[in-house]
Amino acid sequence: MGPVNWLAVVFAAALALAIGIVWNGPLFRTGRQLLPGGSERAGNYAVVGIVFLVSAAMLGHSFARIGAETLAAKPWLYFMQTGGIAIAFVIPSVWLTHLRNRTEPMRRVIDCGFWLIAYLAMGLVFWVLG
């Protein structure tokens, strides 16, 4: 196993958080934030940032296990890994949670789209900084 690219982990988490802020703010103005809360918003973003940091660290570990030579020969694996995790695990979890909460269908689509874009963006960071 190769070393984890910790710089890419930090940048991937930061990019995913930035996408979340834009996605749930100016892009899809629905009155919803990434996490609800008025005065505690900075603390909420810190929690979301930590969640993305854990996700990015796991992705970094996965890419280290694949190996630099394999990733250099097959760069699409960055996107297959990150997109695959989003499609197979994250999106179904978000969708089922929204179903349980009886969230309107368009909100489900918007939120699931966010997770796919966020994970693919993390894959892009690992590819660029790989």
Side-chain angles (χ1 to χ4, degrees), residues 28-98:
F28 293 105
R29 282 199 191 274
T30 60
R32 252 184 85 201
Q33 300 300 322
L34 197 55
L35 278 176
S39 61
E40 308 109 18
R41 190 167 295 148
N44 288 340
Y45 287 129
V47 170
V48 174
I50 290 168
V51 168
F52 279 127
L53 195 58
V54 170
S55 298
M58 194 63 214
L59 290 170
H61 175 75
S62 174
F63 293 134
R65 297 280 300 162
I66 292 171
E69 296 89 24
T70 303
L71 290 167
K74 301 176 182 180
W76 59 85
L77 290 176
Y78 287 106
F79 305 103
M80 286 180 68
Q81 286 283 317
T82 56
I85 289 170
I87 290 169
F89 298 104
V90 178
I91 291 173
S93 299
V94 170
W95 192 269
L96 291 173
T97 300
H98 279 307

